[in-house]
Amino acid sequence: MNMDINTLRSVVTVISLLAFVGIVAWAWSRRNRERFDEAARLPFQDE
């Protein structure tokens, strides 16, 4: 397979986009909401 630089750039762009979409989906998933809400309240807790 003979890859030129533009094909490589395209592949890296697609992989980066998929990684970004995966991270966004993980961050907004309902399973993580409770953990993220708890972490968001940490600075306001007095101990």
Side-chain angles (χ1 to χ4, degrees):
M1 181 174 187
N2 190 5
M3 272 188 157
D4 65 342
I5 190 70
N6 290 325
T7 304
L8 181 62
R9 287 177 180 164
S10 297
V11 169
V12 170
T13 300
V14 169
I15 291 172
S16 298
L17 177 65
L18 291 174
F20 176 77
V21 170
I23 290 169
V24 169
W26 170 77
W28 283 91
S29 71
R30 293 188 188 275
R31 292 182 308 178
N32 293 323
R33 179 170 292 176
E34 184 178 332
R35 286 190 332 189
F36 290 151
D37 286 343
E38 181 182 335
R41 289 188 299 270
L42 282 175
F44 304 110
Q45 290 180 349
D46 290 329
E47 295 192 37

